[in-house]
Amino acid sequence: MSDYIIRPLTAAEVQHAVDWAGREGWNPGVHDAECFRPTDPDGFLGGFLNGEMIASVSAVNYNDHFAFLGFYIVKPEFRHHGHGLEIAQHALAHCTGRNMGLDGVVEQQDNYRKSGFTFAYNNYRFAGTKTRMLAKLDTSPNDRIADLNNASDALKAYDRKLFPAPRDLFLDSWLSAYSHVSKVYTENGEIRGYATLRPCLTGYKVGPLFADTTDIAKALLNAVLSSIPEDHNEHEVFVDMPQPNASAFALADELGLDKVFETARMYSDHEPDIDLNRIFGVTTFELG
């Protein structure tokens, strides 16, 4: 495959990968490309055959110890010719020496195991509408919730307890992105949760939804859902919940949400020591 070249993607080419993810039914956020790439510009790889981009993968190094894989896509007409395997090998090489995480479709678990990954747990995507969820939530104002537009040191410290590595660059992009709405819950001067809602190709996603308690998760959900325009009240809203968090699943049941998709969270070395019981919504399936 001498005419097959693998190299880092430009910002515009990362958008191509996001568009492909949309066609695969993964429903990325409208501004995901511009938020994702700054974390590790060299970690977004494309495979080019005779100058045409035919494959993508992201292998984002958060630090020297942790990385996350995503956007593993080969254009349908070029599959089963080894192009995917070759770009995957480049991605793994980019993350050498790090514990790597991924959210893979369940039917690909065996292939990931062959590459050295071990199953940790399932994440489930739940869907509802603003109208349906707010009907079950306390919609009265909460003076412990405030707008969140930047990643303060306190916010980064809180996030670090619930993610396997520092992700300062990502948070700076995520919280300040156009059309993202983020809220933080503070009690007695201490952050006890935060959430971000973003528009996607279809509807909206809430992620992260990090909260110390179910009541705080409910309050944050109410706050971000209330920002959705009234003419979008019946648009779907998605929250990706880790199965080990029984309180999150109970909340999904209480809100009448529908389970619409699942992934297998897998790691190449070990499952990180993070408190899943406070993760009511995963940030993204693409970057962890």
Side-chain angles (χ1 to χ4, degrees), residues 72 85 102 104-119 122 263-266:
Y72 184 35
L85 177 60
L102 61 82
V105 293
V106 174
E107 56 266 26
Q108 291 295 325
Q109 282 188 56
D110 287 343
N111 288 332
Y112 293 127
R113 285 193 179 96
K114 291 175 184 176
S115 297
F117 288 83
T118 301
F119 175 82
N122 289 119
T263 67
R265 173 61 64 91
M266 305 181 79

Side-chain angles (χ1 to χ4, degrees), residues 24-46:
E24 293 290 325
W26 299 350
N27 195 29
V30 174
H31 298 287
D32 280 3
E34 61 199 68
C35 293
F36 288 171
R37 188 171 178 269
T39 302
D40 181 5
D42 292 331
F44 290 84
L45 303 176

Side-chain angles (χ1 to χ4, degrees), residues 1 4 23 27 75 80 82 87 135 155-156 166 181 197 234 272:
M1 290 184 285
Y4 186 51
R23 290 198 292 269
N27 195 29
K75 291 181 71 173
H80 311 297
I87 197 172
L155 191 283
K156 292 173 183 176
V181 175
L197 177 139
E234 301 308 319

Side-chain angles (χ1 to χ4, degrees), residues 39-271:
T39 302
D40 181 5
D42 292 331
F44 290 84
L45 303 176
F48 294 81
L49 186 64
N50 299 321
E52 178 187 357
M53 182 174 164
I54 67 162
S56 68
V57 69
S58 61
V60 172
N61 290 332
Y62 282 99
N63 61 12
D64 291 339
H65 306 288
F66 185 71
F68 204 86
L69 307 182
F71 287 111
Y72 184 35
I73 306 170
V74 178
K75 291 181 71 173
E77 62 268 34
F78 294 99
R79 292 173 184 173
H80 311 297
H81 296 288
H83 303 303
L85 177 60
E86 189 170 347
I87 197 172
Q89 290 171 340
H90 276 71
L92 294 176
H94 181 69
C95 303
T96 297
R98 296 168 175 85
N99 184 24
M100 292 173 278
L102 61 82
D103 275 308
V105 293
V106 174
E107 56 266 26
Q108 291 295 325
Q109 282 188 56
D110 287 343
N111 288 332
Y112 293 127
R113 285 193 179 96
K114 291 175 184 176
S115 297
F117 288 83
T118 301
F119 175 82
Y121 53 85
N122 289 119
N123 286 314
Y124 286 88
R125 175 162 294 166
F126 289 90
T129 64
K130 171 185 174 181
T131 300
R132 188 196 305 182
M133 287 192 261
L134 289 185
K136 302 284 187 177
L137 292 169
D138 178 2
T139 58
S140 57
N142 190 316
D143 59 9
R144 292 174 177 170
I145 293 179
D147 293 338
L148 180 62
N149 300 310
N150 60 78
S152 66
D153 289 343
L155 191 283
K156 292 173 183 176
Y158 182 85
D159 185 82
R160 180 63 185 87
K161 299 172 185 176
L162 303 175
F163 193 79
R167 50 177 182 171
D168 296 3
L169 288 175
F170 171 79
L171 289 174
D172 287 338
S173 298
W174 198 247
L175 299 178
S176 63
Y178 177 77
S179 76
H180 286 205
V181 175
S182 299
K183 303 288 183 177
V184 62
Y185 186 105
T186 305
E187 187 174 359
N188 298 323
E190 297 290 331
I191 293 175
R192 298 198 60 199
Y194 81 99
T196 297
L197 177 139
R198 75 192 196 277
C200 296
L201 297 183
T202 299
Y204 297 82
K205 286 182 185 174
V206 178
L209 176 56
F210 293 168
D212 291 355
T213 68
T214 300
D215 285 343
I216 293 173
K218 289 180 180 180
L220 286 166
L221 261 180
N222 172 63
V224 295
L225 290 173
S226 298
S227 70
I228 295 175
E230 289 190 7
D231 59 347
H232 288 190
N233 280 356
E234 301 308 319
H235 286 212
E236 284 194 300
V237 180
F238 303 93
V239 187
D240 301 328
M241 296 181 170
Q243 188 174 25
N245 187 345
S247 296
F249 273 49
L251 175 58
D253 184 62
E254 180 182 342
L255 297 178
L257 305 185
D258 301 314
K259 190 185 294 182
V260 297
F261 185 64
E262 68 179 286
T263 67
R265 173 61 64 91
M266 305 181 79
Y267 293 100
S268 64
D269 189 293
H270 63 278
E271 184 176 346

